[in-house]
Amino acid sequence: PRVNSSLSSDELLLEDLETEGERQLKSLLHQQLDTTVSIEQCKSKRRCFAPAAFYKPFGEEAAGALTLSQFQALEESNKETSSLRELGLSDSEILLWK
């Protein structure tokens, strides 16, 4: 069987296709080359990141022999503490809350 190397007019060459990555790179290049940017535009693009999550394992508190109900109570208390921490409370504020 012979392979036909000619392409019909409605077929696209793979080399002619622009990928999403190439579009993103072109967009970044245009942004870098654009020198008409103002300070206000830069401020509007500023991103605020959430504070890092604080993970404190409760392995030391759960060490030893615990009943299922004791472990579940400890786990529930840990969930409450972590949800209070996600709200932005400090350890001293969490202790005061409890």
Side-chain angles (χ1 to χ4, degrees):
R2 191 168 190 196
V3 176
N4 188 2
S5 62
S6 65
L7 294 172
S8 64
S9 62
D10 58 336
E11 291 180 357
L12 294 174
L13 291 174
L14 289 177
E15 297 167 355
D16 294 338
L17 294 176
E18 183 180 34
T19 65
E20 181 64 28
E22 290 171 338
R23 273 186 237 129
Q24 291 289 333
L25 285 174
K26 283 181 183 178
S27 171
L28 289 172
L29 178 65
H30 289 297
Q31 286 177 9
Q32 286 181 347
L33 295 178
D34 185 16
T35 57
T36 62
V37 179
S38 67
I39 297 293
E40 287 76 25
Q41 288 174 325
C42 291
K43 283 183 181 179
S44 69
K45 289 184 180 181
R46 181 177 166 237
R47 295 184 180 155
C48 295
F49 294 97
F54 180 76
Y55 175 70
K56 183 179 178 185
F58 64 98
E60 296 174 2
E61 301 161 354
L66 293 177
T67 64
L68 178 60
S69 59
Q70 289 172 331
F71 183 79
Q72 287 173 336
L74 181 63
E75 188 176 32
E76 195 63 37
S77 172
N78 188 36
K79 284 181 185 177
E80 180 186 13
T81 302
S82 64
S83 65
L84 290 172
R85 202 171 273 130
E86 286 174 6
L87 292 173
L89 297 177
S90 66
D91 287 339
S92 59
E93 291 169 333
I94 292 172
L95 287 175
L96 181 63
W97 173 260
K98 286 186 173 187

